[in-house]
Amino acid sequence: MKPTTSNEIRQAFLDFFNEVGHEIVSSSPLPQHDNPTLLFTNAGMNQFADVFLGKEKRPYSRAVTAQKVMRVQGKHNDLENVGPSQRHHTFFEMLGNFSFGDYFKAEAIDYGWTFLTQVIGLEPERLWATVYTDDDEAFELWRRYLPSEKILRFGKKENYWEMGDIGPNGPCSEIHYYRGDLDKVDPRLLNDDDDLDENFLEVWNLVFMQFETDEEGRTTPLPRPSIDTGMGLERLVRILQNGNSNYDTDLFTPAMDKVQELLGDSNEQRAEKYVGYRVIADHGRAATFMIADGVRPSSGGAGYVLRMITRRAARFGRKIGFTEPFLAAIAQVYIDQMGGAYPELKLRREHILRTITQEERKFERTLDTGLAHLDAVVAEMKQRGATEIPGGQAFDLYATYGLPLEITRDVVQEQGITVDEAGFKRARDAHAAASCAGKFGQYETGANVYADALYELMESGQLENGVEYDPYAGSTAVSEIIAMFKDGKRVESAGKGEKVEVATAVTPFYVESGGEVSDTGRIEFEGGQFRVDDTRQPAAGMVVHVGEVISGQWKVGQSVTLVVDNGRRQDIRRNHTATHVLHKELRAHLGTHVTQAGSLVAPDRLRFDFTHDEAVNKAALGQIEAAINRAILSNYPVAVTYMGQEEAIGMGAMALFGEKYGDIVRTIKIGADGPENAYSFELCGGLHVSETAEIGLFRFVSEGASSAGVRRVEAVTGPGAQRLIAERLDTLDAVARKLNAPLNELESRLDSLLAEHRALQKELEKLQRQSAQGQFESLLDQVQPVHGVNVLAAQVDVADVDGLREMADWFRDKVGSGTAVLATVQNNKPLIIATVTEDLIKRGLKAGDIVREVAKMVGGGGGGRPNMAQAGGRDASKLPEALALVSELVEKALN
């Protein structure tokens, strides 16, 4: 039986290549953490880039994947076409088979033809192949399956692949399928940009990595040519299910059926609203997978893309009839439909649904306001005859009202208006720089001297698969120095006082990963010592120890002993295992939507970020802390097991959002023999205690917000917790002694003292007010008429600026009409209040103008309303001189 459903077709592809010796490799996460030039994985080969470049070795030379891909960046940005187009998507699945110096063109073409014609049953007469213009080898290989007239030659634009100006490159061969009437086919239109025949569908691209280009532009053959292929699942399913578009397949119809069900639309209404239906189906799928891979809505980078496509789907939803959040229902369709192939969807179901609904609701609150402002901008432009919204104005619509550029563009395009997108990006980057946020999704990259060194060491045979990294076997190791680096350059030696990076063939030092900080310690030989302050992995397979030469002359090739600071490491172990216990109890007490969103595991403390949309109150924190300490005292065994990634996930192991795991993963199980009954079961490459009792005591230090929808707790364990509790008990004892009260009566004694303090404070305020009233009564004798206006300017003795304001109120109540400027000195700095009654404001007298001029005399400034204004200054000695100006200022204002 040939496969017919999308799930069957995907599995048939993986199974076919697995049967011919390919390792099935799980899809890497969508966010690209290892490649700073990409926000998202945009091709199947991304996770194998270092393998193709010879900088990383895998235990297999053939691989096959079904890779999650996002194309919303740079030249691969398909966003505007999603909806109207039959074939464009933001998220799609890329099926690919890869050879790392194993087989080449003949086998790649054989496998492609066999899979398409025999496994899934495409008709050979409907297939065409294209090859690079001078790739005669590929042309002849295709002639085994196709007549010459169905093998077309094209130039570099269509049939040549390059990683960049420098690096691997080579010709490629595309397989196309023709869906139309074979009697009317014109192969000349297969790749014609001006007159493309839509019945031709590119199915599969076979890249032959055959050459390498160096910095000087020289192209030479690769010693071990490789294969990289890519085939979009959506397009293949469309062919097999005979859909008029990619959306007419079981990849999208269940989601669009759900949209129709929720709206109650007829089939005719659904057909009329097809663009909205498609956008929701595509964007809903993309958002579901992005959230499952750890992306959270935000104003920059991958988070901006998630926010943008969620809001764009919500806006199209509003346009076709939705009035309430609906995307969670669409996400649930994809979780049910694709959760078998991608288990992370089911594992993070609750988090996906909560996150997408929260973002929808957040946008709902601002959408009407944002669109109203956009309508006003468009109306004003039409009045002026303008046709392009300035970039700064478009960015303000996003920054102030939450309208992403893409939504603004969608709305105004319908009215024949464009957006200055370059200006938008400039405004966005300027805003980011001003707020110290850095550029949105932009990074800088440079030459990697470490990767080059590793490549040379592997080529020379000094290393087989990179540095032997084993922080789990113990805290010491004997090895030799294979390379040293200083200020970004390789060096052969270093002496006392020099700060360098030392690479050894073997290292027991842990490299920071998953939030756990790196080991420190020392490297030594007889007569020489090197202090290790940090351990890093600047390139895959290369580990360097960062620090300072304390003694001796250090040279490449020197035999050395590496010694980790084991006391510090043990504190880190305690805190790391404690984060697993904490994660378990947070989920148990707050809900299974809680997942880890970041952490810091240091020797002195732990920090844990988790998804949760409200503060955790003190009572709940107390319950969680008690449960954690019960688990610690239960002295559960902590077991480390290695197993296949899919097997571990299938058994319920928790995995970090967006983390890239290998095919074989390390799991940490706390309690019980089997994972199904374990207290905690997580994928983790960190260091842990062997029993939970080694953690000692656990104590929360703080709880607060980390970012939108993410909370953060900090805690201490073991010796750190003991020190914290000892310090707090010592403080309690000291307070008890000062209050001359036993500990069990301390709280009531403090309550009593606070009550006495409040009573005394009220009495003091009463006396101060009485004193102020007495001062005020005597001040009335100083009121002078200026052109018939009552004017008072005086320095008084009051407790604060509120006392000045109260006196100003008394003045207005007492004299009925007039102006007063009152001043006092606080902390050797003058404070000034001016007041003007309403009738004099009409005659041109304003409190703000008066107080500003008076403040200048004392080296200050201020302002306020016409009837009341306040100022401050620096020189109290000039206050009498400044107050003497008031009558003159009033006279001048009245004239």
Side-chain angles (χ1 to χ4, degrees), residues 317 376 465-466 712:
N465 291 315
R712 169 175 291 175

Side-chain angles (χ1 to χ4, degrees), residues 91 137 265 284 304 343 469 489 691 715 719 729 737 746 864 881:
F91 169 94
E137 180 186 6
D265 280 351
Y304 172 81
Y469 172 66
K489 297 177 181 177
E691 296 174 321
L729 287 174
R737 283 195 301 272
L746 191 56
E881 186 181 346

Side-chain angles (χ1 to χ4, degrees), residues 202-346:
E202 180 196 327
V203 178
W204 208 338
N205 188 13
L206 316 178
V207 176
F208 308 133
M209 286 196 202
Q210 194 168 351
F211 305 105
E212 183 169 27
T213 302
D214 62 21
E215 290 88 343
E216 296 178 8
R218 289 191 299 261
T219 298
T220 54
L222 283 169
R224 298 175 68 216
S226 298
I227 292 293
D228 160 26
T229 82
M231 173 165 56
L233 177 65
E234 288 72 10
R235 208 169 289 183
L236 186 61
V237 174
R238 172 185 175 183
I239 292 170
L240 288 171
Q241 295 182 1
N242 197 30
N244 290 323
S245 78
N246 291 2
Y247 293 96
D248 300 320
T249 68
D250 69 355
L251 285 165
F252 296 100
T253 50
M256 295 195 291
D257 289 345
K258 174 58 71 173
V259 172
Q260 184 175 7
E261 175 193 328
L262 293 171
L263 288 174
D265 280 351
S266 65
N267 290 337
E268 291 75 16
Q269 289 172 312
R270 172 171 170 166
E272 289 170 4
K273 302 174 181 178
Y274 79 94
V275 172
Y277 271 71
R278 287 178 179 179
V279 169
I280 290 167
D282 174 272
H283 289 13
R285 183 171 73 152
T288 300
F289 274 88
M290 289 170 73
I291 296 168
D293 275 351
V295 182
R296 293 193 61 80
S298 68
S299 60
Y304 172 81
V305 175
L306 172 58
R307 170 161 287 168
M308 177 268 295
I309 64 170
T310 304
R311 293 186 172 193
R312 191 168 187 259
R315 187 248 167 184
F316 270 94
R318 174 79 71 91
K319 196 175 176 184
I320 65 172
F322 283 108
T323 57
E324 294 291 331
F326 63 91
L327 284 172
I330 307 307
Q332 185 61 61
V333 171
Y334 287 116
I335 292 168
D336 293 339
Q337 178 183 333
M338 304 179 75
Y342 301 99
E344 62 271 21
L345 297 179
K346 290 184 175 178

Side-chain angles (χ1 to χ4, degrees), residues 454-487:
L454 178 65
Y455 184 73
E456 286 180 25
L457 290 164
M458 290 170 66
E459 284 289 296
S460 67
Q462 288 178 265
L463 292 178
E464 184 178 350
N465 291 315
V467 169
E468 187 180 328
Y469 172 66
D470 188 5
Y472 312 116
S475 58
T476 63
V478 175
S479 186
E480 67 174 79
I481 299 173
I482 55 172
M484 290 197 294
F485 306 89
K486 183 178 181 181
D487 300 328

Side-chain angles (χ1 to χ4, degrees), residues 847-858 860 862 882 885 889 892:
D849 295 342
I850 296 172
V851 83
R852 197 175 296 113
E853 293 301 318
V854 172
K856 285 180 182 177
M857 290 290 294
V858 293
L885 279 175
L889 292 170
K892 185 177 178 182

Side-chain angles (χ1 to χ4, degrees), residues 784-799:
Q784 296 180 349
V786 177
H787 288 294
V789 173
N790 294 317
V791 178
L792 173 62
Q795 182 173 340
V796 297
D797 183 17
V798 291

Side-chain angles (χ1 to χ4, degrees), residues 777-805:
E777 292 298 330
S778 64
L779 288 176
L780 291 176
D781 295 336
Q782 299 179 31
V783 174
Q784 296 180 349
V786 177
H787 288 294
V789 173
N790 294 317
V791 178
L792 173 62
Q795 182 173 340
V796 297
D797 183 17
V798 291
D800 51 32
V801 73
D802 290 334
L804 284 178
R805 287 198 190 95

